[in-house]
Amino acid sequence: MNDEDLQLIPYTRTEDLLAWADGQGLEPVPEDVLRTVLTLLELGGAPLHDGFPELGSAVLEQLLHERLHLYVQPVGDPAAYGAAVRLLIDRQRWARRLNAKRQERLHAEAEWQGELLTTLLRRPQLLTWPRLYTLLLEAHGVHTGDWDAVRAWLDAFRELSPEERVAAYAALVDGGELDAVAGPDAELLWSRAHLLSIGMATDGARRLLEHGLMRRSYRNLAALTAMGEPMPEELAGGFEEFEAVAEDAALWLCGQWTVPGLPELLVAEYPDLAPEPGTEELRAYAEDRALAEGRPLPDGWAPAGQQVDGPEAG
């Protein structure tokens, strides 16, 4: 991939923002956390001014409440993400892009949304496969920088029965890595429905990221078109090649926010451990639920493996 031409992944001004914060005597924020926040804000469509994303209530909520828990499994204190957002708010105020009242209001929103994020990250219902396997590797003491060790653990995990894998997932709650679930949700935890939802969340989160990457690339390549310059090779031919590059970039980013290389590994070599259900799997689950509950299937919808007669069969 010629990223110099495609410009898929944002070139965040993380170092500049950290230098500014240091000059202002503000509390430091971990560099990787700040880069993650800036990247997700830009790919989520936040407006940019002087290279920095500009925050409003809707953008802030989208980041802290809707996006971060899809991608990030924090190494340190998850409160750092709220602190990174507040730092960006302060920089926005310093650049005279906010008045004092609006700065105070956004600070308050970032405070409570950041606190909410820490609970979202601990909810088993909101996991994706990369986040779940990051937790499993850490809980079992696997050195994630050693790929032989990671592969060996995944190979051993593959040999377990489905029931044994579910027990390993459940141990994350018992060990305190994830919060316990009470009420009706507890019965669904680690069930077939829950594992399907993890797969769907993983697929949806990655596709959302891919679309953001492609939008950014097209926006930055508009100048080439205006100047009559040729498109990069990935865009000169079929769209499929560009999609493939965006998919690779999205997987790479997901690895930066969990374990580098792990999302690619799960997709390419261990899809059986991290299944992302397609139409057939979801339909089979819906059929099984309907039959188990004694509900009729929709018109023209026969159980899997049976042929539907009539025009609906086409």
Side-chain angles (χ1 to χ4, degrees), residues 205-233:
R206 192 171 63 248
R207 290 181 185 274
L208 190 65
L209 201 58
E210 290 168 12
H211 292 161
L213 290 163
M214 288 190 284
R215 282 197 307 269
R216 182 182 191 277
S217 184
Y218 278 129
R219 186 170 62 247
N220 289 317
L221 290 169
L224 290 180
T225 303
M227 293 185 295
E229 297 289 337
M231 287 288 101
E233 291 183 6

Side-chain angles (χ1 to χ4, degrees), residues 288-312:
D288 291 346
R289 284 292 303 272
L291 293 172
E293 296 171 5
R295 292 185 284 106
L297 297 174
D299 291 340
W301 193 354
Q306 294 186 18
Q307 181 66 39
V308 176
D309 296 325
E312 294 87 353

Side-chain angles (χ1 to χ4, degrees), residues 55-311:
L55 293 174
S57 295
V59 172
L60 189 153
E61 181 177 7
Q62 182 194 68
L63 173 72
L64 293 174
H65 187 253
E66 300 174 13
R67 295 290 177 90
L68 273 166
H69 70 78
L70 292 175
Y71 303 106
V72 173
Q73 189 54 51
V75 175
D77 185 358
Y81 292 93
V85 171
R86 293 194 296 275
L87 181 61
L88 189 56
I89 293 169
D90 290 340
R91 169 60 174 70
Q92 201 170 328
R93 166 63 177 158
W94 175 85
R96 299 185 179 181
R97 304 292 294 178
L98 289 174
N99 60 36
K101 185 175 181 180
R102 185 65 177 147
Q103 177 193 24
E104 183 179 356
R105 186 180 307 161
L106 285 176
H107 254 286
E109 291 177 16
E111 186 83 36
W112 74 265
Q113 290 277 10
E115 292 174 0
L116 177 60
L117 172 65
T118 64
T119 68
L120 297 178
L121 289 168
R122 293 184 56 82
R123 290 183 184 174
Q125 307 96 315
L126 299 180
L127 287 167
T128 58
W129 288 122
R131 289 190 55 222
L132 176 55
Y133 278 96
T134 298
L135 285 170
L136 286 168
L137 289 166
E138 292 173 350
H140 287 83
V142 179
H143 177 34
T144 53
D146 181 347
W147 275 105
D148 289 336
V150 171
R151 287 176 183 276
W153 187 89
L154 288 171
D155 288 337
F157 198 70
R158 176 181 264 165
E159 295 301 316
L160 299 179
S161 68
E163 294 77 15
E164 289 171 321
R165 293 180 200 168
V166 166
Y169 303 149
L172 294 173
V173 175
D174 299 335
E177 288 87 356
L178 296 169
D179 286 336
V181 178
D185 286 346
E187 298 178 8
L188 294 175
L189 201 59
W190 316 120
S191 66
R192 181 184 177 191
H194 184 198
L195 299 181
L196 283 172
S197 75
I198 291 176
M200 288 189 291
T202 302
D203 177 67
R206 192 171 63 248
R207 290 181 185 274
L208 190 65
L209 201 58
E210 290 168 12
H211 292 161
L213 290 163
M214 288 190 284
R215 282 197 307 269
R216 182 182 191 277
S217 184
Y218 278 129
R219 186 170 62 247
N220 289 317
L221 290 169
L224 290 180
T225 303
M227 293 185 295
E229 297 289 337
M231 287 288 101
E233 291 183 6
E234 291 87 350
L235 296 179
F239 184 71
E240 293 79 9
E241 186 174 358
F242 181 46
E243 280 189 315
V245 175
E247 289 171 7
D248 289 343
L251 283 169
W252 181 84
L253 276 175
C254 289
Q256 303 309 299
W257 302 328
T258 50
V259 172
L262 178 62
E264 295 100 317
L265 200 60
L266 292 175
V267 168
E269 299 185 34
Y270 297 89
D272 52 314
L273 296 184
E276 298 176 16
T279 303
E280 291 185 5
E281 291 88 350
L282 295 175
R283 175 170 170 157
Y285 173 72
E287 290 172 357
D288 291 346
R289 284 292 303 272
L291 293 172
E293 296 171 5
R295 292 185 284 106
L297 297 174
D299 291 340
W301 193 354
Q306 294 186 18
Q307 181 66 39
V308 176
D309 296 325

